[in-house]
Amino acid sequence: MLAVFGHLNPDTDAISAALVYARLLTRQGVEAKAYRLGELNFETAYVLRELGIDAPPLLHELAPGAAVALVDHNESAQSVSNLSELDVTRVVDHHKLGDLTTSQPAYLRFEPVGCTATLLLKLHLEAHLPVEVTDAKLMLSAVLSDTLHFRSPTTTQADREAVAFLAPIAGVTDVEAYALAMFAAKSDLGDTPAETLLRMDYKVFPFGDPAQPSLVQRWGLGVIETTNPAYVFGRQAELLAAMDQVKVADGLTGVLLSVVDILNESNRTLVLSAAEEKVMREAFGAETEGQVADLGARISRKKQVVPTLEAYFAPGA
């Protein structure tokens, strides 16, 4: 049985892609099962409740040599701890190629689109398989989530066409209203502990020259996408304390938490210390006031934040 899973701290795309790809592979004669590597965020939980389906089971560990398929990620820092010991047979992803290695030739599908679900729709069409209703709504939800309903600069024409194709199958007549309902669920943070908020959409990235491991820096980059940023900044002190704890616990060089205002398409980032403040100023040209740096319209971690940091930390930069 092939295990299919997305990244740590899974979002709607990671969960939807695992469910949809496992079902697609099984329909094509490859027995596969979806898993998750972390707890659901509020938006993803809302989507699954709307569909009346259970979340994939939590994956604790796999025996060395187990066959796996990765969706929505390909970097070891964002995957299971023993990824290098597993047999990665397939990867479907829309991120840059990281440190992935395989023991034998694998099926790789990478395209610069806004969402893994967009690629999964293409795989359905290329296989001449009809899209099932549940899968259509999962993929639709994922595209709307990852592209912030086309607000993100990662959005492509393929993503727009995917939404137009999937919505009628999914039975969603008002796409905008559905997207806003998803974003409202994402923003209903209640009394969620600060560290949970930080880690809901959180990834660790290595920056620097991999040929000199001792000089590589590890940064934790969290994102809170919300229609109510005032609530998040009302808990700024708690979040900064959680960032400090995570920085020490994870052995990181730096931690940043971007608060993305979905409706106004803006990013104000919490800055933990002088070390992070220096990077904000030198990499982004952003001054920090009250431990907050205004990154303007840089709302995509994948396309606008990580590449800037990679360039800043590149050897010789």
Side-chain angles (χ1 to χ4, degrees):
M1 179 76 72
L2 183 70
V4 184
F5 52 86
H7 51 76
L8 292 166
N9 305 309
D11 56 10
T12 299
D13 191 25
I15 295 295
S16 296
L19 289 165
V20 172
Y21 195 36
R23 196 147 38 231
L24 175 61
L25 289 171
T26 299
R27 292 172 69 187
Q28 294 177 305
V30 178
E31 288 298 317
K33 182 175 180 178
Y35 292 91
R36 58 186 168 91
L37 300 188
E39 299 305 317
L40 303 183
N41 65 34
F42 296 122
E43 178 191 82
T44 310
Y46 168 80
V47 170
L48 297 189
R49 283 198 306 272
E50 283 285 295
L51 282 165
I53 61 176
D54 294 330
L58 187 63
L59 183 64
H60 294 288
E61 67 176 34
L62 288 168
V68 301
L70 309 183
V71 291
D72 199 29
H73 77 296
N74 69 91
E75 299 194 52
S76 58
Q78 299 166 16
S79 198
V80 289
S81 59
N82 67 332
L83 182 64
S84 62
E85 301 174 346
L86 305 179
D87 180 14
V88 180
T89 65
R90 292 169 172 81
V91 183
V92 181
D93 192 13
H94 66 126
H95 296 91
K96 69 178 182 66
L97 185 63
D99 59 350
L100 177 70
T101 60
T102 62
S103 58
Q104 58 184 338
Y107 174 85
L108 306 177
R109 183 65 176 264
F110 287 73
E111 288 187 29
V113 293
C115 182
T116 308
T118 300
L119 298 181
L120 290 173
L121 173 58
K122 290 187 177 188
L123 292 180
H124 276 81
L125 298 177
E126 291 164 8
H128 304 291
L129 287 172
V131 177
E132 297 176 348
V133 173
T134 297
D135 290 342
K137 194 158 188 180
L138 285 169
M139 288 188 281
L140 173 70
S141 303
V143 178
L144 293 174
S145 176
D146 259 22
T147 67
L148 296 178
H149 193 192
F150 311 144
R151 293 172 174 83
S152 172
T154 60
T155 305
T156 67
Q157 184 59 28
D159 301 303
R160 296 178 185 276
E161 292 171 358
V163 167
F165 182 91
L166 292 167
I169 301 173
V172 176
T173 56
D174 190 333
V175 170
E176 182 176 4
Y178 179 63
L180 289 174
M182 288 173 53
F183 300 153
K186 185 198 295 269
S187 304
D188 186 14
L189 303 175
D191 57 357
T192 305
E195 184 175 341
T196 302
L197 292 181
L198 169 62
R199 291 189 182 273
M200 271 187 177
D201 187 357
Y202 171 85
K203 295 180 180 180
V204 174
F205 294 87
F207 296 120
D209 186 357
Q212 302 182 66
S214 62
L215 300 180
V216 171
Q217 300 193 24
R218 298 176 68 247
W219 281 66
L221 305 181
V223 179
I224 297 177
E225 295 171 339
T226 178
T227 58
N228 185 14
Y231 168 84
V232 180
F233 285 105
R235 299 184 63 184
Q236 179 173 330
E238 295 175 66
L239 289 166
L240 286 166
M243 291 165 66
D244 191 35
Q245 293 168 1
V246 166
K247 183 176 181 177
V248 174
D250 292 358
L252 303 173
T253 311
V255 178
L256 298 169
L257 178 59
S258 292
V259 183
V260 172
D261 184 332
I262 297 173
L263 301 181
N264 292 308
E265 301 177 36
S266 64
N267 175 355
R268 288 187 292 159
T269 293
L270 292 180
V271 180
L272 181 60
S273 69
E276 288 87 351
E277 184 175 342
K278 178 176 182 288
V279 172
M280 287 290 96
R281 182 174 60 254
E282 295 181 356
F284 296 95
E287 295 298 330
T288 299
E289 295 183 14
Q291 292 190 267
V292 178
D294 187 347
L295 293 189
R298 295 184 181 97
I299 62 175
S300 170
R301 177 175 53 196
K302 180 181 74 172
K303 192 166 185 176
Q304 296 170 304
V305 175
V306 171
T308 300
L309 291 174
E310 285 178 330
Y312 175 75
F313 288 114

